[in-house]
Amino acid sequence: HVQLVESGGGSVQAGGSLRLSCGISGRSSGSSFCMGWFRQAPGKEREGVAVIDSDGNAAYADSVKGRFTISKDSAKNTVYLQMNSLKVEDTAMYYCATRRYCTTMSPAAFGYWGQGTQVTVS
């Protein structure tokens, strides 16, 4: 049973930085995987922010390119999202999720989700 747990959210001023972490358990070791970060602001649909595959290939939403960096530590079964130069519009609940391959950033394609961590930029 795959489980994901996010941490690292909080409140920060515009221009500041936060690093989110997502620990994953229950996944078969050695298998291909895609980990993604998503966010959902009040009244808006959930959107893909960044994804990374088991080879370390990453992709980003245009809105965060150059500001956010997704990375992974396979030994710790953890994926990170380093968020720099935060903007007010980055305020949202951030979720991590996983699927087998990184062929899409559509939230609907990801089957396993964490509970989310709140990021507030003011």
Side-chain angles (χ1 to χ4, degrees):
H1 179 62
V2 177
Q3 291 186 311
L4 301 98
V5 179
E6 303 96 334
S7 62
S11 297
V12 64
Q13 291 187 334
S17 299
L18 282 173
R19 188 177 81 157
L20 307 182
S21 300
C22 174
I24 182 170
S25 60
R27 182 180 61 204
S28 298
S29 60
S31 61
S32 298
F33 67 87
C34 175
M35 293 292 300
W37 282 100
F38 300 81
R39 66 186 182 186
Q40 188 167 18
K44 294 187 177 181
E45 292 186 353
R46 191 169 298 188
E47 62 177 356
V49 174
V51 294
I52 188 167
D53 66 16
S54 48
D55 292 327
N57 300 303
Y60 299 90
D62 288 343
S63 59
V64 306
K65 281 181 181 176
R67 300 188 298 122
F68 291 10
T69 303
I70 189 170
S71 62
K72 64 182 181 68
D73 185 331
S74 298
K76 295 182 178 180
N77 289 319
T78 301
V79 175
Y80 304 98
L81 185 68
Q82 178 66 44
M83 304 185 295
N84 298 328
S85 302
L86 282 161
K87 304 176 180 180
V88 172
E89 51 263 43
D90 294 319
T91 296
M93 184 71 79
Y94 282 71
Y95 301 88
C96 65
T98 187
R99 68 188 306 260
R100 184 72 184 272
Y101 299 109
C102 282
T103 54
T104 177
M105 288 179 62
S106 171
F110 286 71
Y112 298 96
W113 291 84
Q115 294 300 306
T117 186
Q118 178 68 36
V119 172
T120 302
V121 186
S122 60

